Amino acid sequence: MTSLAVTARSVADLSADVVVLGAFSGGDAPTLAVDLPAAALDHLTTALSALGFTAAAESSVVLVAVPGLDARRVVVVGLGARPEKKKALDAAVLRRSVGAALRSIIDAERVAVALPVPSADHVAAVAEGAALGAYRFTAQRGTSDAPTVVDTITIVSERGRDSAVKAAVSRASAVAQAVGYARDLVNTAPNLLYPQTFADSVKQRAAGTKVKVAVLDEKALVKGGFGGIVGVGQGSVHPPRIVSLSYAPAGKKSKLPHLALVGKGMTFDSGGLDIKPANHMANMKSDMAGAAAVAGAVLAIAELGLPIRVTGWLGLAENMPSGSAQRASDVVTMHNGMTVEILNTDAEGRMVLADVMTLAGEESPTAIVDIATLTGAQVVALGLEVAAVMGNDDEFRTRVCSAGDDMGEDLWPMPLPAAYRKGLDTEVADIAHKGGPAGGMLTAGLFLQEFVPQVDGEAIPWAHVDIAGPSFNEQGPRGFTPKGGTGFGVATLVRLAELLSQS
Ligand code: BES
Ligand code: MN
Ligand code: ZN
């Protein structure tokens, strides 16, 4: 695992295997964005122009033996155009660009990063992007060599001794670790990661932290009347689990806001008897990315000691076809007593989330966020990089989106049109779990809305985050995002907890 540090020393004085330097594009040639010794600046200016490097954002070149610098290898990373006078430097560009630079680095243990960082927020963005770009998934290597993982990343900042800058770096470290954990969970093969082993991993990870983990096994789920998750899991040889992760800072717990996070954790979604075509099933090990994001976020929030109570709830199951599998036209009774008609066994996530949300409500939290790889319709609507946010409270939904903005994750608001609720009407149960083909992301949200718990007769503020697209990157790597599991949502949830703890 990569650790982060910050230094107030100048780049020239740093001994590292690799130094990453930022450059702005524009004019005839790129300009280095940080102060350098004259010899280094001369050499780099000539070299960059000889290479035809334009410093487009996220592009980079490697140079060796740069005079005036101790490091043997130098990576110059493009930051795009220098911001116009008085316009702030875009932290999101820094985060992505440095992420791309760290992704490109092989065989290095110590990396120093010198990018323009005018504020603690910029330091945070650079630290986060760098640590996320350094992520490698190595756990499943057998006889082939695993890539070297960077050991330490040192961020160069003139104000490296300021407490705000140091705090930004420790926060980045906690967030990056949690994102890395979520990515590892998503990347792990589904024969290895199933509900029980997922629960075991969380327990192991939480040991020695301020997070308490509790697990409901299949017997407890049947006994508790969790017909939604039990029904989804009944076709698999790996029975379902609900895992809770509770964190509260020491002291006056009752006065604090209490955020409940609910994650969809389908360790594999074959579709069930309504089996998916092969090309739609291939990446369905990632159907637990919501649960992974929740697990990572709670661990990071606890590590940061935020003044807020947080409970994470993971609904873990495997959706498989078999003689004991759920059928289309089954009617199940949910934990809250409602009956649901199953119309398509591939619309399983909402059944799990609905039961888990009811359970989360039993602690009367002040707000609930569920996060899930819920619908293919989300991918159609917003593509592979932007998540959708729905909810019962516009202000809270906006907050979730802006938490994402702060952390370089794109989330966009979507409506829950009351007019579409009738699509879930059925004559054979209280509600059907899906509507027609149109607006599938929204009707999934409307179904979940029926299960938002109430406190004193009022629905708890709730946001539903559909991450079907952004949770898994099957194209090429980009910015700080690798191929495979992205860890999307962890940073947003941590930031949301921070925002809620401040208000
Ligand atoms: N896990 C899928 C949604 C999904 C699709 C996630 C693509 C990531 C990428 C979900 O369980 C599902 O199968 N949804 C169905 C619902 C339909 C049957 C109503 C879908 O969206 O097609
Ligand atoms: Mn499905
Ligand atoms: Zn699914």
Side-chain angles (χ1 to χ4, degrees):
M1 202 198 52
T2 310
S3 67
L4 280 169
V6 59
T7 182
R9 287 157 63 199
S10 79
V11 202
D13 301 335
L14 292 177
S15 73
D17 300 318
V18 181
V19 167
V20 177
L21 302 172
F24 289 119
S25 61
D28 294 338
T31 48
L32 272 301
V34 285
D35 286 339
L36 290 168
L41 191 59
D42 282 353
H43 178 92
L44 287 168
T45 310
T46 314
L48 292 180
S49 102
L51 288 164
F53 182 66
T54 63
E58 297 180 39
S59 67
S60 63
V61 282
V62 190
L63 298 155
V64 291
V66 175
L69 295 181
D70 217 31
R72 294 174 54 217
R73 213 188 310 166
V74 172
V75 171
V76 180
V77 63
L79 303 175
R82 184 190 290 278
E84 286 160 37
K85 277 209 178 80
K86 287 191 184 155
K87 266 202 114 183
L89 186 60
D90 188 349
V93 173
L94 293 182
R95 197 188 270 108
R96 285 198 299 268
S97 296
V98 72
L102 266 291
R103 255 195 313 99
S104 75
I105 294 174
I106 50 166
D107 278 330
E109 285 176 5
R110 292 170 313 144
V111 175
V113 173
L115 261 58
V117 280
S119 73
D121 285 347
H122 290 94
V123 174
V126 169
E128 283 156 19
L132 294 179
Y135 172 84
R136 303 287 184 274
F137 181 55
T138 56
Q140 288 174 189
R141 299 285 176 147
T143 57
S144 68
D145 286 340
T148 321
V149 178
V150 172
D151 197 52
T152 345
I153 299 171
T154 305
I155 312 295
V156 179
S157 159
E158 277 175 8
R159 285 182 291 134
R161 286 187 205 88
D162 286 11
S163 59
V165 166
K166 284 188 178 157
V169 174
S170 0
R171 174 167 165 280
S173 174
V175 170
Q177 244 184 75
V179 174
Y181 178 48
R183 288 176 178 176
D184 279 347
L185 287 168
V186 172
N187 288 331
T188 302
N191 60 326
L192 305 175
L193 191 87
Y194 44 88
Q196 180 60 51
T197 54
F198 195 146
D200 291 343
S201 164
V202 170
K203 272 196 229 159
Q204 201 178 24
R205 198 82 186 185
T209 75
K210 287 176 270 180
V211 176
K212 289 201 182 65
V213 177
V215 180
L216 293 180
D217 66 11
E218 71 269 37
K219 279 191 197 139
L221 294 175
V222 171
K223 200 163 165 223
F226 293 92
I229 186 169
V230 168
V232 167
Q234 73 192 27
S236 170
V237 294
H238 298 301
R241 299 282 182 266
I242 293 178
V243 176
S244 64
L245 299 89
S246 315
Y247 160 73
K252 43 182 177 183
K253 150 172 161 176
S254 58
K255 295 243 165 59
L256 295 171
H258 178 192
L259 175 62
L261 303 174
V262 172
K264 171 178 172 181
M266 209 53 51
T267 59
F268 190 72
D269 180 12
S270 70
L273 288 177
D274 287 300
I275 198 160
K276 288 180 184 292
N279 60 331
H280 286 203
M281 204 191 294
N283 291 324
M284 279 301 133
K285 68 171 182 181
S286 66
D287 208 22
M288 33 55 71
V294 168
V298 178
L299 289 163
I301 290 162
E303 191 182 331
L304 293 169
L306 297 183
I308 183 170
R309 197 178 150 197
V310 179
T311 313
W313 300 92
L314 319 180
L316 308 178
E318 188 183 44
N319 188 19
M320 295 294 264
S322 78
S324 63
Q326 185 161 66
R327 316 150 191 82
S329 77
D330 276 2
V331 172
V332 300
T333 304
M334 306 294 282
H335 183 61
N336 73 351
M338 275 171 78
T339 58
V340 180
E341 183 189 17
I342 306 298
L343 294 174
N344 183 321
T345 62
D346 198 11
E348 83 298 337
R350 59 198 77 184
M351 299 302 293
V352 169
L353 289 171
D355 264 350
V356 180
M357 281 216 296
T358 306
L359 181 60
E362 289 168 10
E363 291 185 342
S364 304
T366 41
I368 301 185
V369 178
D370 80 78
I371 178 161
T373 48
L374 204 61
T375 64
Q378 187 279 325
V379 187
V380 175
L382 293 173
L384 297 168
E385 297 182 35
V386 183
V389 191
M390 290 142 271
N392 61 359
D393 179 316
D394 289 358
E395 199 255 341
F396 186 56
R397 189 192 58 200
T398 304
R399 265 191 138 174
V400 173
C401 294
S402 70
D405 277 347
D406 292 346
M407 302 302 282
E409 295 190 320
D410 285 329
L411 299 103
W412 200 253
M414 284 289 170
L416 290 177
Y420 295 176
R421 167 61 183 80
K422 61 181 177 298
L424 301 172
D425 288 347
T426 170
E427 281 164 16
V428 303
D430 295 334
I431 191 171
H433 73 150
K434 65 176 282 283
M441 167 172 59
L442 313 181
T443 45
L446 285 163
F447 176 79
L448 292 178
Q449 188 166 23
E450 298 286 323
F451 295 85
V452 174
Q454 302 194 339
V455 173
D456 300 330
E458 267 201 58
I460 297 173
W462 156 74
H464 160 53
V465 185
D466 195 335
I467 56 168
S471 58
F472 195 79
N473 177 13
E474 53 191 295
Q475 308 159 294
R478 59 177 190 265
F480 57 81
T481 307
K483 206 160 183 273
T486 62
F488 190 98
V490 173
T492 298
L493 294 176
V494 173
R495 180 68 185 143
L496 179 69
E498 230 170 42
L499 292 173
L500 294 175
S501 74
Q502 286 159 7
S503 61

